[in-house]
Amino acid sequence: MEISVTDLSCARGGLPVLSGVSFQLQAGQALVLRGPNGIGKTTLLRTIAGLQPATAGQVQMPEDCVAYAGHADGLKAGLSVEQNLRFWASVYGQREISAAVGAFALTPLLDRLAHDLSAGQKRRLGLARLLVTGRPLWIFDEPTVSLDAENTRLFAEMVDRHLQGGGMALMATHIDMGLSQARVLDLTLFKADLTALAQDSFLDEGV
Amino acid sequence: MWALLIRDLTLAVRAGGGFGLSLAFFLIVVVLVPFGVGPQSDVLARIAPGILWVGALLACLLSLDRVFHLDFEDGSLDLLATSPLPLEGVVVIKALAHWLTTGLPLALIAPALAVLLNLPGPGYLWLFVSLALGTPALSMIGAFGAGLTVGLKRGGLLLSLLVLPLYVPTLIFGAEIVRRAVDAQAIGTPLAMLAGLTLAAWACLPFATAAAIRINLR
Amino acid sequence: MSIWEYANPARFMRFSRTVLPWVSAAAALLILVGLIWGFFFTPDDFRQGSTVKIIYLHVPSATMAINIWVMMLVTSMIWVVRRHHVSVLAAKAAAPIGATMTLIALATGAIWGQPMWGTYWEWDPRLTAFLILFLFYLGYMALWAAIEDPDVAADLTSILCLVGSVFAVISRYAINFWNQGLHQGASLSLDQEENVSDVFWQPLVLSLVGFGFLFLTLVLLRTRTEIRARRLAALKQRERVS
């Protein structure tokens, strides 16, 4: 299993943000995206997840391979923790949720409504959701926001186990979680410059 | 797929889900009309099919902006779009959930409200049948409008402006069935047209709606 | 050279600058001649009197109202398939013109209907269909206005235009079914049976073609404005980035 991104360019709100992004990810590897705010981390992750089209370049990966976890956890406030997990499990055709419950010590919370969870507890549930997807490539956008040190460690363990099992992870984060197999990709190298913008046909002097 | 349907139905009947609001709205519309047009029972009987259909249509409109917007806000729509479910299937399920929680209850209580408007006897059965047959089209067309406006912060009013002109054929055929039934005329043609509209809407619009949602997500 | 080259904004601007004076002159000339001929140099109809002369405004505006929607559908589909910005901007530019034409057709129809049918408004199928068409135009323009990102707006309005077209046709037949109506038959059709007579026909054709040129003038002008507005936005964006 391998994922390769070649010469990928992406745009946010019609403005090119990144261009020429290339990397490869083998089974068991993780890639951490770094860069200042606004560089286009979220845009790149959403492009790779297939939520928005790339303006140039390509992403090659096996079909049905991505599980995406964005800024929002996608939890339903009116459902309990267990119902939320079971729902996503059945969307991905899985039955077993015990691994997800175990990874973040969610057992005491199972019957609580997601509405009554704290921000950190919601995030734990949102991250545990990836364990019921059965997908090899996990994409995280700022996963450790509102997690305390203990849960950040649990998260790192969860990702490490996933990598050891042959999975892959791609994440945008600022903190160093001590993942064993992680490489770092600095996105400032790929910042789109004005030449990318100059291809806008409305900037032609004749207009 | 079924999990999504069950989740949506559960959320709709839980607190804050807004289930029952459209029924109450329908009741209020029907109650208000006699105040506007006067209490003469023959006048009310004459306009009853139209009022009941328009009332049901407006009540249906009321809950449309919830169809995709809540999922858009809490990020579920992103996750559903990257899940193994085809987005077209998600649209169908969402529209089905909307119909089960809005259109079907409206069709069920419409005959009861028809009593208030003095609907003549033969109309009751066909009022229910026409609404049961026509409200799925309203839900699907409404889901299309909701898909178009899902990315907008205050899309509710725009949604009504986009969807109401699309409701014209459904309303015409639906109300015509009841009017003809009351007048003891043949109802075969409008019935067939209404059924055709519903089937065509459910066959074609999921694709347009899914395309609109994909555009709104990027 | 292929027609697609005009999809380049710069080339479109050059082209439209050259043709605009000619197109607008043709519009003015044809409409003036058509209307003056029609209003003052045709006999009164034996049944309808001088009121019949409103057809020189009514029929062309009604024709344009429908054709502009068709043009918007075609240009929107060109955008969907080939991603030419000028194409979808032309659709955006055409919508208010189409809405205005629909309004003119409705207003002249009402003014004509008063002496003929004894009422300004009748739920006649054709009148009703135009009212619905007007609502479609309103929805289309409202969707453009509501969305900030121009490409997203272009995509979504194109989908709306396509679905709306299908529903507009269905609505037309539904309305026919709902009310048979008292509108007179076609004024111009290829089978000669119900045509108006030749004296009315010639100035009507002039006026029709004139309205076509008028639309062309307006849509070129408005598309130029839209393109300039997009250029302004692009320049501002470049400023912000650098």
Side-chain angles (χ1 to χ4, degrees), chain C residues 106-124 127 182:
Chain C
L106 284 170
T108 51
I111 294 167
W112 194 4
Q114 214 287 324
M116 293 325 305
W117 304 335
T119 171
Y120 283 108
W121 183 258
E122 183 65 39
W123 287 92
D124 163 81
L127 287 187
L182 38 78

Side-chain angles (χ1 to χ4, degrees), chain A residues 9-18 43 52-55 192-203, chain B residues 215 218, chain C residues 79 83 85 147-153 155 230 233-238 240-241:
Chain A
S9 302
C10 46
R12 181 179 56 226
L15 193 67
V17 284
L18 292 168
T43 311
Q52 62 180 67
T55 47
D193 51 11
L194 284 176
T195 51
L197 196 62
Q199 286 164 7
D200 189 335
S201 55
F202 288 103
L203 285 174
Chain B
I215 292 161
R218 76 183 189 218
Chain C
W79 156 256
R83 313 303 283 181
H85 284 94
I147 304 168
E148 277 174 35
D149 186 305
D151 281 1
V152 171
D155 281 331
R230 281 295 288 275
L235 285 172
K236 272 187 185 162
Q237 209 167 46
R238 187 167 69 179
R240 262 205 311 278
V241 174

Side-chain angles (χ1 to χ4, degrees), chain B residues 19-20 22-23 26 97-111 113 128 131 135:
Chain B
F19 178 72
S22 4
L23 294 182
F26 190 23
H98 180 262
W99 180 69
L100 287 174
T101 54
T102 311
L104 188 61
L106 284 175
L108 286 171
I109 67 156
L113 297 184
F128 169 71
L131 278 172
T135 44

Side-chain angles (χ1 to χ4, degrees), chain B residues 19-51:
Chain B
F19 178 72
L21 270 183
S22 4
L23 294 182
F25 179 83
F26 190 23
L27 171 69
I28 288 169
V29 169
V30 170
V31 169
L32 283 183
V33 167
F35 294 132
V37 300
Q40 297 88 345
S41 53
D42 55 327
V43 177
L44 288 176
R46 221 179 130 49
I47 59 171
I51 297 301

Side-chain angles (χ1 to χ4, degrees), chain C residues 152-229:
Chain C
V152 171
D155 281 331
L156 292 178
T157 51
S158 298
I159 295 178
L160 178 66
C161 189
L162 178 65
V163 173
S165 303
V166 176
F167 272 89
V169 173
I170 299 174
S171 299
R172 179 79 178 94
Y173 285 102
I175 289 167
N176 260 345
F177 174 82
W178 163 78
N179 188 352
Q180 306 304 327
L182 38 78
H183 204 285
Q184 65 189 72
S187 310
L188 285 178
S189 59
L190 291 177
D191 59 25
Q192 291 283 310
E193 299 215 345
E194 42 179 6
N195 270 3
V196 292
S197 69
D198 282 354
V199 259
F200 301 114
W201 192 80
Q202 287 151 349
L204 184 55
V205 168
L206 278 188
S207 176
L208 262 174
V209 178
F211 265 71
F213 275 105
L214 175 65
F215 166 65
L216 209 56
T217 311
L218 292 175
V219 83
L220 284 177
L221 271 175
R222 289 186 52 87
T223 311
R224 285 172 66 85
T225 315
E226 292 291 344
I227 290 175
R228 286 266 158 79

Side-chain angles (χ1 to χ4, degrees), chain B residues 70-157:
Chain B
L70 294 179
D71 278 351
F72 179 77
E73 271 180 340
D74 65 17
S76 308
L77 206 53
D78 279 346
L79 305 181
L80 284 171
T82 52
S83 78
L85 301 182
L87 204 47
E88 287 79 4
V90 171
V91 170
V92 168
I93 294 294
K94 290 256 165 201
L96 182 63
H98 180 262
W99 180 69
L100 287 174
T101 54
T102 311
L104 188 61
L106 284 175
L108 286 171
I109 67 156
L113 297 184
V115 177
L116 296 177
L117 294 179
N118 224 355
L119 185 76
Y124 286 88
L125 173 66
W126 292 106
L127 176 68
F128 169 71
V129 171
S130 68
L131 278 172
L133 205 59
T135 44
L138 298 184
S139 288
M140 194 66 231
I141 296 168
F144 168 67
L148 276 181
T149 54
V150 68
L152 298 171
K153 290 234 160 44
R154 302 241 176 276
L157 202 59

Side-chain angles (χ1 to χ4, degrees), chain A residues 90-102:
Chain A
S90 57
V91 163
Y92 284 90
Q94 311 273 319
R95 300 193 154 268
E96 198 49 54
I97 62 164
S98 56
V101 174

Side-chain angles (χ1 to χ4, degrees), chain A residues 1-206:
Chain A
M1 168 129 359
E2 184 189 87
I3 285 153
S4 76
V5 170
T6 27
D7 248 344
L8 194 72
S9 302
C10 46
R12 181 179 56 226
L15 193 67
V17 284
L18 292 168
S19 64
V21 180
S22 302
F23 61 82
Q24 257 128 40
L25 208 54
Q26 315 280 345
Q29 293 182 337
L31 186 68
V32 176
L33 304 177
R34 289 273 160 81
N37 286 336
I39 189 76
K41 294 187 291 287
T42 300
T43 311
L44 179 63
L45 291 177
R46 288 180 71 88
T47 308
I48 294 170
L51 284 167
Q52 62 180 67
T55 47
Q58 34 189 291
V59 180
Q60 280 170 326
M61 61 169 84
E63 215 164 301
D64 285 342
C65 154
V66 177
Y68 174 77
H71 291 290
D73 292 314
L75 302 175
K76 284 295 167 195
L79 298 180
S80 71
V81 170
E82 184 176 358
Q83 282 171 318
N84 268 300
L85 274 179
R86 286 216 181 277
F87 165 67
W88 286 110
S90 57
V91 163
Y92 284 90
Q94 311 273 319
R95 300 193 154 268
E96 198 49 54
I97 62 164
S98 56
V101 174
F104 278 107
L106 290 170
T107 318
L109 302 175
L110 272 182
D111 291 330
R112 278 231 237 148
L113 289 185
H115 179 261
D116 302 329
L117 299 182
S118 74
Q121 288 168 329
K122 278 183 191 161
R123 176 98 307 194
R124 275 152 67 192
L125 175 55
L127 294 173
R129 183 186 63 83
L130 290 175
L131 283 165
V132 301
T133 61
R135 293 266 171 110
L137 174 61
W138 288 355
I139 294 183
F140 300 100
D141 197 355
E142 300 290 356
T144 54
V145 171
S146 60
L147 286 188
D148 56 19
E150 168 64 10
N151 282 301
T152 307
R153 192 183 58 75
L154 285 177
F155 172 64
E157 274 176 20
M158 165 181 143
V159 175
D160 261 339
R161 269 199 305 276
H162 179 61
L163 297 179
Q164 277 153 25
M168 289 168 279
L170 182 61
M171 64 179 82
T173 178
H174 291 286
I175 62 161
D176 185 19
M177 293 185 302
L179 291 171
S180 50
Q181 294 294 321
R183 284 178 292 147
V184 171
L185 187 70
D186 188 358
L187 287 182
T188 40
L189 302 172
F190 304 108
K191 190 172 174 2
D193 51 11
L194 284 176
T195 51
L197 196 62
Q199 286 164 7
D200 189 335
S201 55
F202 288 103
L203 285 174
D204 195 321
E205 280 310 315

